[in-house]
Amino acid sequence: MVERDYVAVNREGWTRANAEYTDRRAHDAWAQDGITWGKWQLSEHELRVLPDLAGKDVVELGCGTAYFGAWLKRAGARKVVGVDVTPAQLATARRMNEEFGLGLEFVEANAEETGLPAESFDLVFSEYGASIWCDPNLWIAEAARLLRPAGELVFVRGSTVQILCMPDEGQVGERLVRPQKGLYRLEWYDDDPGVEFHPSTSEMFAILRSNGFVLLDLRELFAPEEAVDHEYYSTVPAEWAKRWPDEEIWRLRLQRR
């Protein structure tokens, strides 16, 4: 397969992020007791978004250092496979897996075409992995291929209002700075180049429906009142995120046609 133009850009960005932040954060993340969501660490115990994981086979698309996969395994998943395109992130994930002994499995591949067998998982999951760094028309089709009948897809991404208020450089503010019409591929050319994908909510629904998914839940996440700016992911100020939804969790079920 010919590698798409954005894959190398994003791999380089995540290699740099791993050296600057995610590798040193990995141990504490893997050791965390309980599941939390997004940069504001909202508790799954309170949100109750995930399906029952007992005995389920899970694949995480764009797993990074795989801390969320570790949480899913501890929560009862039978098997967790992490897929990522960045060797540095996977090296950290494998080191953590050996240290904590959770038995996760890893595949170095683009989440748009994993090479894994069809209908081999009960849950496809992505927290800021494939959900923003891969083309939705491709990775959602791959998620559908990987799922068994009635399997579920859960993913996290930034909210549409956050994207509309995000300038090309600097922090999110209180003005709409980009049009929603035509929103799909975003390219960043500052000190940390990258290519993200963010179709609007209606277009995301259309992509999901065309691949056989039906919506079970959609949550808009705000920062809690005690939140302060994130030490590394500082594009969205905590004060902004206390007033507008910064992140979204989508939960869907596959209904094959």
Side-chain angles (χ1 to χ4, degrees):
M1 181 184 75
V2 177
E3 186 170 277
R4 298 174 180 87
D5 65 316
Y6 49 86
V7 176
V9 174
N10 291 337
R11 182 191 294 115
E12 181 179 349
W14 278 105
T15 300
R16 183 168 52 253
N18 195 66
E20 294 174 349
Y21 178 72
T22 57
D23 182 80
R24 65 179 167 83
R25 175 74 181 94
H27 181 276
D28 288 347
W30 273 67
Q32 179 176 301
D33 182 19
I35 295 172
T36 55
W37 293 95
K39 67 174 72 74
W40 310 115
Q41 296 187 299
L42 302 177
S43 170
E44 166 63 13
H45 180 72
E46 295 181 5
L47 292 179
R48 299 190 180 278
V49 179
L50 289 169
D52 180 13
L53 294 165
K56 300 290 180 64
D57 295 330
V58 179
V59 60
E60 183 178 3
L61 299 182
C63 67
T65 62
Y67 60 86
F68 216 113
W71 300 344
L72 297 175
K73 188 70 181 295
R74 285 201 191 97
R78 186 184 75 88
K79 178 172 75 170
V80 176
V81 178
V83 177
D84 205 277
V85 76
T86 304
Q89 295 264 74
L90 287 178
T92 299
R94 291 188 175 105
R95 191 179 78 246
M96 292 297 102
N97 191 46
E98 182 175 354
E99 178 179 344
F100 285 88
L102 292 180
L104 274 63
E105 303 171 31
F106 300 105
V107 175
E108 183 181 331
N110 185 344
E112 298 168 349
E113 189 172 350
T114 64
L116 293 166
E119 298 190 16
S120 52
F121 296 95
D122 305 296
L123 174 66
V124 172
F125 179 83
S126 183
E127 185 210 33
Y128 286 116
S131 57
I132 67 169
W133 300 105
C134 293
D135 188 328
N137 279 298
L138 301 175
W139 82 263
I140 289 173
E142 178 69 350
R145 187 187 72 82
L146 291 171
L147 281 171
R148 295 171 178 139
E152 293 192 19
L153 168 64
V154 175
F155 65 91
V156 183
R157 67 174 192 164
S159 72
T160 296
V161 68
Q162 179 233 93
I163 295 295
L164 297 179
C165 293
M166 184 178 291
D168 290 336
E169 295 183 8
Q171 290 186 315
V172 167
E174 297 183 10
R175 295 177 56 248
L176 300 176
V177 296
R178 65 180 71 245
Q180 184 165 327
K181 184 176 182 180
L183 186 66
Y184 193 84
R185 173 171 165 155
L186 303 170
E187 301 183 10
W188 313 107
Y189 295 107
D190 54 14
D191 294 336
D192 188 19
V195 179
E196 297 183 29
F197 293 88
H198 197 105
S200 66
T201 301
S202 62
E203 188 170 359
M204 180 62 86
F205 271 123
I207 295 169
L208 290 160
R209 283 196 303 269
S210 70
N211 285 282
F213 287 104
V214 295
L215 185 69
L216 299 178
D217 200 355
L218 174 59
R219 306 287 185 93
E220 293 178 319
L221 306 183
F222 295 81
E225 285 305 312
E226 67 275 13
V228 296
D229 291 358
H230 194 278
E231 63 172 304
Y232 188 75
Y233 302 117
S234 58
T235 304
V236 181
E239 289 305 314
W240 188 96
K242 293 173 187 179
R243 301 173 64 192
W244 292 280
D246 174 29
E247 300 169 303
E248 302 171 343
I249 306 174
W250 295 62
R251 179 180 170 187
L252 307 108
R253 179 172 293 135
L254 183 66
Q255 293 187 345
R256 299 200 185 278
R257 294 157 294 175

